[in-house]
PDB file of all heavy atoms in Angstrom:
ATOM      1  N   GLY A 190       3.400  11.079  -2.862  1.00  0.00           N
ATOM      2  CA  GLY A 190       4.715  11.401  -2.254  1.00  0.00           C
ATOM      3  C   GLY A 190       4.832  12.876  -1.855  1.00  0.00           C
ATOM      4  O   GLY A 190       5.804  13.245  -1.192  1.00  0.00           O
ATOM      5  N   ASN A 191       3.761  13.657  -2.141  1.00  0.00           N
ATOM      6  CA  ASN A 191       3.938  15.136  -1.681  1.00  0.00           C
ATOM      7  C   ASN A 191       3.252  15.253  -0.275  1.00  0.00           C
ATOM      8  O   ASN A 191       2.556  14.425   0.207  1.00  0.00           O
ATOM      9  CB  ASN A 191       3.173  16.093  -2.655  1.00  0.00           C
ATOM     10  CG  ASN A 191       3.999  16.032  -3.931  1.00  0.00           C
ATOM     11  OD1 ASN A 191       5.158  16.159  -3.959  1.00  0.00           O
ATOM     12  ND2 ASN A 191       3.190  16.149  -5.010  1.00  0.00           N
ATOM     13  N   GLY A 192       3.526  16.403   0.333  1.00  0.00           N
ATOM     14  CA  GLY A 192       3.007  16.611   1.721  1.00  0.00           C
ATOM     15  C   GLY A 192       4.132  16.677   2.731  1.00  0.00           C
ATOM     16  O   GLY A 192       5.345  16.723   2.370  1.00  0.00           O
ATOM     17  N   LEU A 193       3.777  16.511   4.043  1.00  0.00           N
ATOM     18  CA  LEU A 193       4.845  16.620   5.078  1.00  0.00           C
ATOM     19  C   LEU A 193       5.735  15.376   5.013  1.00  0.00           C
ATOM     20  O   LEU A 193       5.230  14.278   4.932  1.00  0.00           O
ATOM     21  CB  LEU A 193       4.110  16.597   6.462  1.00  0.00           C
ATOM     22  CG  LEU A 193       3.944  18.038   7.017  1.00  0.00           C
ATOM     23  CD1 LEU A 193       2.834  18.830   6.336  1.00  0.00           C
ATOM     24  CD2 LEU A 193       3.677  17.978   8.591  1.00  0.00           C
ATOM     25  N   GLN A 194       7.036  15.555   4.992  1.00  0.00           N
ATOM     26  CA  GLN A 194       8.008  14.510   4.907  1.00  0.00           C
ATOM     27  C   GLN A 194       8.649  14.246   6.315  1.00  0.00           C
ATOM     28  O   GLN A 194       8.967  13.091   6.557  1.00  0.00           O
ATOM     29  CB  GLN A 194       9.105  14.943   3.902  1.00  0.00           C
ATOM     30  CG  GLN A 194       8.582  15.288   2.562  1.00  0.00           C
ATOM     31  CD  GLN A 194       8.038  14.207   1.755  1.00  0.00           C
ATOM     32  OE1 GLN A 194       8.542  13.071   1.703  1.00  0.00           O
ATOM     33  NE2 GLN A 194       6.759  14.448   1.282  1.00  0.00           N
ATOM     34  N   ASP A 195       8.938  15.365   7.069  1.00  0.00           N
ATOM     35  CA  ASP A 195       9.712  15.150   8.267  1.00  0.00           C
ATOM     36  C   ASP A 195       9.548  16.348   9.177  1.00  0.00           C
ATOM     37  O   ASP A 195       9.326  17.565   8.727  1.00  0.00           O
ATOM     38  CB  ASP A 195      11.323  14.947   7.878  1.00  0.00           C
ATOM     39  CG  ASP A 195      12.070  14.468   9.017  1.00  0.00           C
ATOM     40  OD1 ASP A 195      11.486  13.955  10.047  1.00  0.00           O
ATOM     41  OD2 ASP A 195      13.356  14.589   8.972  1.00  0.00           O
ATOM     42  N   SER A 196       9.645  16.223  10.464  1.00  0.00           N
ATOM     43  CA  SER A 196       9.733  17.227  11.414  1.00  0.00           C
ATOM     44  C   SER A 196      10.667  17.014  12.621  1.00  0.00           C
ATOM     45  O   SER A 196      10.858  15.859  12.965  1.00  0.00           O
ATOM     46  CB  SER A 196       8.294  17.412  12.036  1.00  0.00           C
ATOM     47  OG  SER A 196       7.441  18.179  11.258  1.00  0.00           O
ATOM     48  N   ILE A 197      11.343  18.041  12.949  1.00  0.00           N
ATOM     49  CA  ILE A 197      12.198  17.923  14.165  1.00  0.00           C
ATOM     50  C   ILE A 197      11.626  19.097  15.134  1.00  0.00           C
ATOM     51  O   ILE A 197      11.585  20.244  14.770  1.00  0.00           O
ATOM     52  CB  ILE A 197      13.628  18.242  13.905  1.00  0.00           C
ATOM     53  CG1 ILE A 197      14.177  17.238  12.869  1.00  0.00           C
ATOM     54  CG2 ILE A 197      14.451  18.121  15.135  1.00  0.00           C
ATOM     55  CD1 ILE A 197      15.627  17.525  12.315  1.00  0.00           C
ATOM     56  N   LEU A 198      11.114  18.519  16.343  1.00  0.00           N
ATOM     57  CA  LEU A 198      10.522  19.507  17.198  1.00  0.00           C
ATOM     58  C   LEU A 198      11.273  19.391  18.499  1.00  0.00           C
ATOM     59  O   LEU A 198      11.526  18.262  19.003  1.00  0.00           O
ATOM     60  CB  LEU A 198       9.010  19.206  17.374  1.00  0.00           C
ATOM     61  CG  LEU A 198       8.051  19.277  16.138  1.00  0.00           C
ATOM     62  CD1 LEU A 198       6.582  18.807  16.369  1.00  0.00           C
ATOM     63  CD2 LEU A 198       8.180  20.589  15.502  1.00  0.00           C
ATOM     64  N   ARG A 199      11.517  20.503  19.130  1.00  0.00           N
ATOM     65  CA  ARG A 199      12.301  20.529  20.392  1.00  0.00           C
ATOM     66  C   ARG A 199      11.721  21.535  21.330  1.00  0.00           C
ATOM     67  O   ARG A 199      10.981  22.401  21.080  1.00  0.00           O
ATOM     68  CB  ARG A 199      13.721  20.979  20.172  1.00  0.00           C
ATOM     69  CG  ARG A 199      14.467  20.067  19.110  1.00  0.00           C
ATOM     70  CD  ARG A 199      15.602  19.188  19.860  1.00  0.00           C
ATOM     71  NE  ARG A 199      15.972  18.013  19.039  1.00  0.00           N
ATOM     72  CZ  ARG A 199      16.662  17.958  18.053  1.00  0.00           C
ATOM     73  NH1 ARG A 199      17.223  18.973  17.594  1.00  0.00           N
ATOM     74  NH2 ARG A 199      16.911  16.687  17.390  1.00  0.00           N
ATOM     75  N   SER A 200      12.072  21.283  22.594  1.00  0.00           N
ATOM     76  CA  SER A 200      11.667  22.293  23.724  1.00  0.00           C
ATOM     77  C   SER A 200      12.517  22.156  24.868  1.00  0.00           C
ATOM     78  O   SER A 200      13.231  21.146  25.134  1.00  0.00           O
ATOM     79  CB  SER A 200      10.175  22.168  24.094  1.00  0.00           C
ATOM     80  OG  SER A 200       9.951  20.926  24.821  1.00  0.00           O
ATOM     81  N   ASP A 201      12.634  23.325  25.611  1.00  0.00           N
ATOM     82  CA  ASP A 201      13.462  23.393  26.802  1.00  0.00           C
ATOM     83  C   ASP A 201      12.897  24.351  27.757  1.00  0.00           C
ATOM     84  O   ASP A 201      12.899  25.574  27.659  1.00  0.00           O
ATOM     85  CB  ASP A 201      14.941  23.837  26.443  1.00  0.00           C
ATOM     86  CG  ASP A 201      15.748  23.966  27.674  1.00  0.00           C
ATOM     87  OD1 ASP A 201      15.336  23.625  28.724  1.00  0.00           O
ATOM     88  OD2 ASP A 201      16.877  24.462  27.545  1.00  0.00           O
ATOM     89  N   GLY A 202      12.219  23.738  28.830  1.00  0.00           N
ATOM     90  CA  GLY A 202      11.276  24.640  29.628  1.00  0.00           C
ATOM     91  C   GLY A 202      12.176  25.527  30.532  1.00  0.00           C
ATOM     92  O   GLY A 202      11.677  26.481  31.116  1.00  0.00           O
ATOM     93  N   ALA A 203      13.413  25.324  30.626  1.00  0.00           N
ATOM     94  CA  ALA A 203      14.310  26.195  31.383  1.00  0.00           C
ATOM     95  C   ALA A 203      14.370  27.598  30.735  1.00  0.00           C
ATOM     96  O   ALA A 203      14.562  28.577  31.427  1.00  0.00           O
ATOM     97  CB  ALA A 203      15.811  25.621  31.504  1.00  0.00           C
TER      98      ALA A 203
END
Side-chain angles (χ1 to χ4, degrees):
N191 291 324
L193 263 75
Q194 307 291 313
D195 193 15
S196 279
I197 303 174
L198 303 176
R199 300 250 156 78
S200 67
D201 177 3

